[in-house]
Amino acid sequence: MSNLQINIRQILDFISPEEIHSQQDRITEIYHSLFNKTGKGNDFLGWIDLPFGLSGHVIEDIEKAAEQIRGKAELFVVIGIGGSYLGARAVNDALSHHFAQLLRPDKAPHIVYAGHNISEDYLADLLDLLDRKDYAIAVISKSGTTTEPAIAFRIIREHLEGKYGKQEARQRIIAITDKEKGALKQLAMDENYTSFIVPDDVGGRYSVLTPVGLLPVAVAGYDINALLQGAQQMQKIIRDNIRNMHDNPVSLYAAARNSLYKKKRLIEIMVNYEPGLFYFTEWWKQLYGESEGKEQKGIFPAGVSFTTDLHSMGQYIQDGERHLFETVISVNNPKRKLSIPFDEQNLDKLNYISGKRIIEVNHMAELGTRLAHIEGNVPNIRISIPEINENSLGQMIYFFEMACAVSGYILDVNPFDQPGVEAYKNNMFALLGKPGFEGATKAINKKIKEN
Ligand code: PA5
């Protein structure tokens, strides 16, 4: 049964139900090409089977490696970028205590991230922390050649070896990479690091349910089986309702956003009301941006955290250009309980809500905002989950992955490649004088002079 519910009633002032439902046949066809692996980018459809497809021993090996790390490290550095970073961070941040880093470590190591920027200050500050902490690392790169994580790994590995010696450092490094190619694979074999494989047919941004996401989540102490079960439940709902949009949240979401896009709603804003979901939105932005934004097409995925951003972006959303729509992630129940106290003096005039749970106020802020935005001509899609836990995150991950693939096929692009990300890399390599880029270096220097 799905814990995730989708409500598109509030886009029906903008799009007719007939228009949404007229897409059923095309979407059914798309499911067939996805499940039968016949569509564009069909060599990257391994993610479809991941919820059921990871063999038991891979899960056991991940849990074993995580347990070893948990036994020896108070800090775990996860090195990776893009799809090799955001999935783990999305899940861990959603599940963890908001102030975990400042609380004394309990049984789980704190997780910190590196390799997702090229900031000298960030890395130097991280080394300050690593000087003081007992730590281990995971280096995650499918290609094994990405510049950002490679720089971070080189620096952190040197620190690790200096701190523990080469032999012990080897016991504190886990490599997650391709099964046979790439520099990281070579190094992992030479140094005998514990290693996990990113399957050939799973691209970075669809890899959260492989060791790429599962290992850091297990190290943080969360239940990776429950995460996979959530994804399994969502896959079953989709498969059981390939022709029945009414009971298939993925079809509804893909059809709704496609109809809105055709009406020139070019920006989709994912809205959360729980700060723990900030990185879930970042994961979703990467998934949709890199999958759909090509051939001069695609919805621009943006994100806001409410009510924080109601005091900034809220103005634009209410009153600015009408080229956007919102997808609101609504959480029914918090993990904790807290009520607003009564105050004799009532100087802040808050006694009218004293005794109420904070969640009640948050929900009224959410409802009030939704009504205001709809009134302001912003179509709203609402996705609700009972609470933030491994199961609902697993459901959401698979839901958004499948909806992204379906949406990409509706747009007639290949949702599994990313040719556009090469442009900056080629310029950067040319500017840095990377061997093999000599021609490009000359051309770019000429271009710089001319400008
Ligand atoms: O989704 C993708 O494919 C990308 O975002 C990659 O995950 C990202 O570029 C990192 O690549 P790699 O894992 O090869 O270092």
Side-chain angles (χ1 to χ4, degrees):
M1 208 200 66
S2 172
N3 289 329
L4 177 152
Q5 303 291 328
I6 183 164
N7 184 337
I8 60 158
R9 273 199 303 276
Q10 281 140 346
I11 67 163
L12 299 180
D13 290 347
F14 306 89
I15 310 284
S16 71
E18 293 70 39
E19 197 174 332
I20 307 264
H21 287 277
S22 69
Q23 296 175 68
Q24 177 67 75
D25 288 349
R26 174 73 189 117
I27 289 177
T28 304
E29 233 173 69
I30 288 175
Y31 284 128
H32 286 307
S33 54
L34 285 167
F35 288 121
N36 297 328
K37 306 203 164 108
T38 52
K40 283 188 178 174
N42 58 1
D43 41 351
F44 280 99
L45 291 174
W47 58 271
I48 291 179
D49 306 319
L50 285 173
F52 291 97
L54 277 188
S55 66
H57 84 85
V58 175
I59 307 275
E60 272 170 34
D61 288 352
I62 291 173
E63 283 172 337
K64 211 168 101 202
E67 213 35 61
Q68 279 166 2
I69 299 291
R70 287 158 63 79
K72 67 162 68 171
E74 49 180 333
L75 197 77
F76 188 54
V77 188
V78 177
I79 302 173
I81 194 166
S84 291
Y85 153 64
L86 283 162
R89 187 154 199 183
V91 175
N92 280 344
D93 276 30
L95 294 174
S96 68
H97 192 289
H98 289 92
F99 304 100
Q101 305 287 359
L102 298 175
L103 290 172
R104 274 189 10 187
D106 45 18
K107 41 193 183 352
H110 288 154
I111 313 285
V112 294
Y113 299 87
H116 55 295
N117 57 46
I118 320 181
S119 164
E120 190 157 338
D121 285 347
Y122 185 94
L123 282 167
D125 287 355
L126 179 59
L127 293 183
D128 288 344
L129 182 67
L130 301 184
D131 282 341
R132 292 167 178 74
K133 300 278 179 184
D134 214 1
Y135 73 99
I137 66 181
V139 52
I140 309 176
S141 176
K142 185 177 181 193
S143 64
T145 54
T146 308
T147 308
E148 291 89 339
I151 292 173
F153 182 49
R154 189 183 269 218
I155 287 173
I156 297 167
R157 181 163 67 111
E158 187 186 70
H159 184 276
L160 191 74
E161 289 176 354
K163 182 162 175 159
Y164 297 99
K166 251 182 170 299
Q167 190 50 35
E168 174 60 18
R170 284 193 191 104
Q171 311 301 315
R172 289 173 177 263
I173 297 176
I174 296 180
I176 305 178
T177 189
D178 187 82
K179 74 171 183 307
E180 50 200 17
K181 42 181 205 305
L184 181 56
K185 180 67 199 173
Q186 186 61 50
L187 185 69
M189 283 190 326
D190 293 351
E191 297 287 326
N192 210 11
Y193 298 150
T194 300
S195 298
F196 290 94
I197 289 167
V198 191
D200 280 345
D201 56 357
V202 180
R205 58 191 175 275
Y206 285 85
S207 69
V208 50
L209 299 178
T210 72
V212 170
L214 297 179
L215 178 84
V217 170
V219 172
Y222 303 116
D223 183 350
I224 55 175
N225 284 302
L227 193 71
L228 288 165
Q229 274 156 20
Q232 288 165 8
Q233 286 161 352
M234 185 51 64
Q235 193 200 68
K236 184 164 176 353
I237 290 161
I238 297 163
R239 279 193 185 272
D240 288 350
N241 294 288
I242 278 181
R243 295 175 191 286
N244 171 17
M245 189 177 285
H246 187 259
D247 291 324
N248 186 328
V250 168
S251 306
L252 273 180
Y253 177 56
R257 60 197 299 283
N258 179 51
S259 295
L260 291 164
Y261 178 61
K262 286 212 246 143
K263 293 235 158 39
K264 294 283 172 234
R265 298 296 174 148
L266 304 179
I267 298 171
E268 177 176 6
I269 306 177
M270 178 171 274
V271 179
N272 72 68
Y273 284 81
E274 288 294 339
L277 291 177
F278 179 86
Y279 274 97
F280 191 85
T281 300
E282 293 301 297
W283 171 82
W284 170 86
K285 276 162 60 182
Q286 193 233 353
L287 179 63
Y288 280 70
E290 234 175 38
S291 300
E292 285 193 301
K294 47 198 71 156
E295 299 174 29
Q296 322 289 304
K297 296 189 258 192
I299 296 172
F300 183 87
V304 290
S305 297
F306 287 169
T307 61
T308 312
D309 293 330
L310 283 172
H311 299 258
S312 60
M313 297 303 288
Q315 172 60 40
Y316 189 104
I317 297 170
Q318 187 71 48
D319 273 347
E321 282 267 10
R322 300 299 74 184
H323 52 3
L324 35 92
F325 66 98
E326 288 176 317
T327 295
V328 179
I329 306 293
S330 181
V331 181
N332 298 344
N333 299 300
K335 298 175 204 140
R336 312 288 298 271
K337 270 196 175 156
L338 200 60
S339 302
I340 297 164
F342 178 80
D343 181 80
E344 242 359 294
Q345 283 188 301
N346 197 27
L347 287 176
D348 52 15
K349 304 266 189 296
L350 279 184
N351 276 354
Y352 78 104
I353 48 172
S354 69
K356 279 195 193 298
R357 298 267 308 272
I358 307 277
I359 186 72
E360 294 178 67
V361 182
N362 206 16
H363 280 161
M364 289 309 108
E366 182 184 322
L367 179 57
T369 305
R370 210 163 57 239
L371 295 173
H373 287 182
I374 292 164
E375 185 74 24
N377 190 4
V378 180
N380 256 252
I381 298 171
R382 180 166 179 259
I383 290 167
S384 61
I385 54 170
E387 62 179 47
I388 300 174
N389 57 27
E390 288 92 332
N391 182 281
S392 59
L393 288 169
Q395 291 206 11
M396 286 212 290
I397 286 167
Y398 201 77
F399 166 85
F400 281 115
E401 285 181 345
M402 186 60 83
C404 184
V406 172
S407 298
Y409 279 7
I410 293 176
L411 277 183
D412 198 24
V413 297
N414 176 357
F416 310 110
D417 65 3
Q418 54 283 329
V421 301
E422 296 310 314
Y424 99 90
K425 290 186 194 168
N426 291 336
N427 282 348
M428 178 177 76
F429 294 149
L431 289 164
L432 289 168
K434 184 173 178 172
F437 281 75
E438 291 78 5
T441 303
K442 267 195 201 139
I444 201 162
N445 283 334
K446 189 164 168 269
K447 214 187 278 173
I448 291 168
K449 269 195 202 124
E450 282 165 7
N451 288 319

